[in-house]
């Protein structure tokens, strides 16, 4: 299987759900998608903001200077900004379950390696220039993978929720940012205070893996892939725009606006 086939949007299921069972299954799957997107993105935040929690201990132990930490943090921000544009476009054409899970898995990996690198280097003392470059690379990778979180979760809402209630659920989804920050400072903060700053990254990695599991089991790509009609049919809403407008055409319209 090529990487393009792995990430492409799911094909409609060959088995259609009987009409009398569609509504119950649809409501069950759409709620699971909402939960997975919200909780999954909050755990994205844990993998992103863990560094903010451990900056103090890292500087106090003379592992990195404030300048070095600033450079590492900047790598994440620049990669995240660029990735939001590129991955937002790609997510529209993708299997959102696989796309979102992959991003969080890579982010968890970057956190794990950061923590293990800190453990290995503790006996040596301050980080060398080569090690700082490695950490900058890891946090660039983390920033790019972090940009793979928002779009799939929002696309999941648009694929599964009708316009009449989509805004309400998007409002609840927006709380995932706050939930993620709260989890980060609580969970990571406790680990750092008990076991050291390196475990803050390892704990963030474990939180990310938990998010991947949630996404893989509860996030669903499209109603059609589950043998259900599209959201417009299920909700009795007329589709917006021309029926023959492709994703590419709609994206070009947005970029030209």
């Amino acid at each position: 299987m090529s990487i393009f086939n792995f990430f492409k949007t799911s094909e409609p299921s060959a088995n259609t759900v009987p009409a009398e069972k569609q509504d119950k299954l649809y409501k069950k799957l759409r709620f699971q998608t909402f939960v997975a997107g919200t909780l999954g993105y909050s755990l994205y935040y844990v993998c992103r903001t863990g560094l903010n929690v451990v900056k103090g201990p890292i500087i106090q132990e003379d592992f990195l200077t404030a300048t070095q930490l600033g450079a590492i943090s900047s790598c994440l921000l620049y990669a995240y900004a660029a990735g939001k544009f590129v991955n937002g476009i790609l997510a529209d054409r993708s299997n959102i379950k696989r796309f979102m899970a992959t991003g969080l898995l890579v982010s968890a990996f970057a956190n794990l390696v950061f923590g293990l690198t800190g453990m290995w280097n503790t006996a040596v003392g301050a980080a060398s220039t080569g090690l700082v470059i490695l950490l900058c690379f890891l946090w660039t990778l983390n920033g790019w993978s972090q940009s793979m979180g928002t779009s799939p979760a929002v696309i999941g809402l648009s694929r599964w929720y009708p316009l009449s209630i989509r805004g309400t659920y998007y409002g609840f989804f927006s709380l995932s940012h706050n939930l993620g920050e709260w989890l980060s400072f609580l969970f990571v903060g406790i680990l750092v205070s008990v076991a050291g700053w390196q475990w803050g990254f390892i704990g963030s990695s474990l939180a990310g893996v938990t998010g991947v599991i949630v996404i893989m089991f509860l996030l669903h790509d499209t109603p059609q892939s589950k043998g259900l009609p599209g959201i417009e049919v299920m909700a009795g809403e007329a589709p917006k725009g021309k029926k023959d407008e492709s994703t590419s055409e709609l994206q070009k319209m947005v970029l030209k606006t």
Side-chain angles (χ1 to χ4, degrees):
M1 178 185 291
S2 70
I3 189 171
F4 298 105
N5 288 331
F6 179 78
F7 283 111
K8 75 175 184 179
T9 306
S10 302
E11 296 291 339
S13 174
N15 301 315
T16 302
V17 177
E20 66 274 12
K21 297 181 179 180
Q22 287 180 359
D23 188 63
K24 182 178 180 180
L25 180 62
Y26 160 68
K27 289 179 179 179
K28 173 186 175 182
L29 296 181
R30 79 177 187 184
F31 183 70
Q32 289 180 350
T33 296
F34 165 74
V35 170
T38 303
L39 184 57
Y41 192 60
S42 69
L43 294 174
Y44 258 88
Y45 250 73
V46 176
C47 289
R48 185 192 313 176
T49 59
L51 182 60
N52 297 334
V53 181
V54 303
K55 281 182 177 179
I58 286 178
I59 294 175
Q60 290 172 7
E61 292 186 15
D62 293 324
F63 178 65
L64 294 170
T65 67
T67 301
Q68 290 169 334
L69 278 171
I72 294 170
S73 298
S74 296
C75 289
L76 184 145
L77 294 175
Y78 286 123
Y80 181 72
K84 284 276 281 187
F85 175 76
V86 175
N87 287 321
I89 294 174
L90 294 177
D92 272 330
R93 309 160 182 265
S94 300
N95 181 313
I96 57 174
K97 172 191 289 191
R98 294 177 177 179
F99 197 85
M100 189 175 186
T102 299
L104 187 51
L105 186 62
V106 173
S107 183
F109 171 78
N111 275 269
L112 178 62
V113 175
F114 202 124
L116 293 177
T117 300
M119 287 183 172
W120 173 79
N121 202 69
T122 297
V124 180
S128 64
T129 301
L131 187 57
V132 173
I133 293 174
L134 171 62
L135 297 179
C136 283
F137 169 77
L138 283 174
W139 238 229
T140 299
L141 180 65
N142 192 21
W144 184 268
S145 62
Q146 281 286 320
S147 69
M148 298 172 69
T150 309
S151 297
V154 174
I155 291 169
L157 294 178
S158 68
R159 289 180 180 177
W160 284 93
Y161 282 85
L163 288 171
S164 58
I165 59 174
R166 191 178 301 164
T168 300
Y169 279 86
Y170 181 80
F172 286 122
F173 164 74
S174 298
L175 295 176
S176 59
H177 305 73
N178 305 95
L179 177 61
E181 290 182 346
W182 177 77
L183 286 172
S184 181
F185 282 95
L186 178 66
F187 175 61
V188 177
I190 291 174
L191 280 176
V192 171
S193 63
V194 172
W197 66 265
Q198 296 91 339
W199 278 95
F201 289 106
I202 295 173
S204 296
S205 177
L206 293 175
V209 171
T210 301
V212 171
I213 295 172
V214 170
I215 292 167
M216 290 305 297
F217 278 96
L218 296 181
L219 189 68
H220 306 290
D221 193 26
T222 65
Q224 293 91 330
S225 67
K226 298 298 181 179
L228 296 168
I231 181 60
E232 292 88 1
V233 175
M234 288 296 302
E237 295 178 344
K240 298 294 182 182
K242 299 177 182 179
K243 290 185 179 181
D244 58 348
E245 283 180 338
S246 66
T247 298
S248 298
E249 291 171 337
L250 291 172
Q251 288 175 342
K252 288 177 182 178
M253 289 172 58
V254 172
L255 291 174
K256 291 178 180 179
T257 302

